[in-house]
Amino acid sequence: MTDALVAASRASIEKGSKSFALASRLFDPVLRDRATLLYAWCRYADDVIDGQDAGFGRVEYAGTPAERLAELERGTRAALASDSGGGGAADLPFAALARVAAETEMPERYPLDLIEGFRIDVEERAFITFDDTLTYCYHVAGCVGVMMAIVMGVAPGDRATLERACDLGMAFQLNNIARDVVEDAANGRCYLPAIWLAEAGLTRATYASPACRAALATVVKRLVDEAERYEASSLFGTPALPRRAAWAVLAAADIYGGIGRKVRAEGAAALDHRVTTSSAEKLWAVARTLPLSFSRARRWPAPGPSRAGLWTMPL
């Protein structure tokens, strides 16, 4: 029987991410519940900082972004100390984090690393080099990949597998940036390296204007190319996962990677609309990755190729 906390968390997934909701159905029941709890906290935290509801629209939250960040950090630290608070609606995500952290022995550094990613947004830090972009990608997505791997049963001390999990989160975020570059610009955010923009003859002030679409598409292509490098590296971590968990990871990699590849293939035209994948495309990704879940140890044998040249999370 599903308890109220898991049920509320599951509703958050269904509303906020159809792709994650689909992939999570491939998990065994215990893993599915834990992944759902982790997602609920991540979704809530992102919404509070971005002023959205399940990643959509605009919602008025009390306080300035800096004040909301401080409250989010307070609640997160309390949850990690198994003291999630009073049980109101806003406390549910913290209770979810408290439970999954306790059940998986999650090191507190990873949830707090996500909070640091939100701090980068709140402080509107400049992205000058590609390393700046990659550091941001780690803090808003790579560390989530690490947390998901721990939820899937990877030991917190298994650095090699966690690095591969981090790579997948990095790939997801690079593809997200590529897909949302014009939308982000409209919201006053630029995650593209200033050096890359300059090399394409673009400026921070005008790069998202319709007249710059062709040049901007070359920058976006570079992002997707980089995302594929991280995606390819991440697959060498799948043999360390239970088979059903590996299937979910492979399906998610296929779905999110497919979005980036669509953006790259469409070129400048992709910048005039939000590129998505259809339900049929998602189901096909699930189907075609099933056999890969059985052959993963042969296709991507551990320890895998060197990660030299890829961003590496701090020790």
Side-chain angles (χ1 to χ4, degrees):
M1 180 176 178
T2 301
D3 64 49
L5 185 56
V6 172
S9 300
R10 190 168 294 166
S12 173
I13 283 186
E14 294 292 344
K15 186 175 182 180
S17 177
K18 298 294 189 294
S19 295
F20 187 89
L22 176 61
S24 70
R25 294 190 186 111
L26 306 181
F27 295 146
D28 67 69
V30 172
L31 176 51
R32 184 185 308 124
D33 286 351
R34 288 176 176 170
T36 298
L37 293 169
L38 178 62
Y39 177 92
W41 171 74
C42 292
R43 177 75 273 162
Y44 171 79
D46 195 47
D47 283 347
V48 166
I49 299 302
D50 285 347
Q52 294 185 308
D53 177 23
F56 301 102
R58 306 308 302 174
V59 176
E60 289 296 328
Y61 287 90
T64 66
E67 290 169 339
R68 297 199 300 269
L69 176 63
E71 184 62 19
L72 179 62
E73 182 173 3
R74 183 207 65 77
T76 297
R77 288 185 181 276
L80 294 171
S82 298
D83 180 16
S84 58
D91 292 318
L92 286 172
F94 297 115
L97 175 64
R99 181 186 296 183
V100 73
E103 290 181 352
T104 63
E105 299 184 353
M106 178 83 66
E108 70 170 18
R109 63 163 291 189
Y110 298 117
L112 295 178
D113 276 350
L114 183 61
I115 299 297
E116 183 62 24
F118 298 137
R119 195 182 317 281
I120 294 173
D121 271 329
V122 169
E123 294 178 355
E124 299 181 351
R125 298 181 197 174
F127 290 64
I128 307 301
T129 67
F130 187 47
D131 190 67
D132 293 331
T133 299
L134 291 174
T135 298
Y136 175 76
C137 288
Y138 166 72
H139 281 289
V140 297
C143 64
V144 177
V146 172
M147 288 189 282
M148 279 298 303
I150 292 171
V151 166
M152 293 176 193
V154 177
D158 184 354
R159 173 89 181 179
T161 301
L162 295 184
E163 284 181 340
R164 301 294 181 178
C166 179
D167 286 340
L168 188 58
M170 301 282 282
F172 287 0
Q173 188 61 27
L174 287 168
N175 281 324
N176 283 344
I177 293 171
R179 179 195 62 192
D180 298 338
V181 61
V182 173
E183 180 181 335
D184 286 336
N187 291 324
R189 291 179 174 175
C190 179
Y191 303 112
L192 304 175
I195 290 175
W196 284 18
L197 291 176
E199 289 171 351
L202 299 168
T203 68
R204 175 70 168 78
T206 62
Y207 74 94
S209 66
C212 295
R213 290 288 193 265
L216 180 57
T218 67
V219 178
V220 168
K221 178 184 180 300
R222 290 181 71 177
L223 277 179
V224 177
D225 290 347
E226 289 290 338
E228 284 192 323
R229 294 178 63 215
Y230 285 89
E231 179 185 339
S233 174
S234 74
L235 301 181
F236 288 89
T238 57
L241 304 176
R243 191 196 63 79
R244 288 181 61 174
W247 182 18
V249 167
L250 291 167
D254 190 300
I255 292 167
Y256 284 96
I259 290 174
R261 287 181 273 277
K262 272 189 177 184
V263 169
R264 182 175 59 194
E266 291 186 22
L271 303 174
D272 291 323
H273 67 103
R274 184 180 178 88
V275 174
T276 62
T277 53
S278 67
S279 296
E281 288 172 322
K282 291 183 177 73
L283 289 173
W284 174 230
V286 169
R288 67 172 167 254
T289 53
L290 173 59
L292 299 182
S293 71
F294 289 98
S295 62
R296 64 193 187 282
R298 174 173 52 82
R299 289 174 175 270
W300 303 290
S306 169
R307 295 184 63 261
L310 298 180
W311 192 94
T312 299
M313 63 179 178
L315 291 170

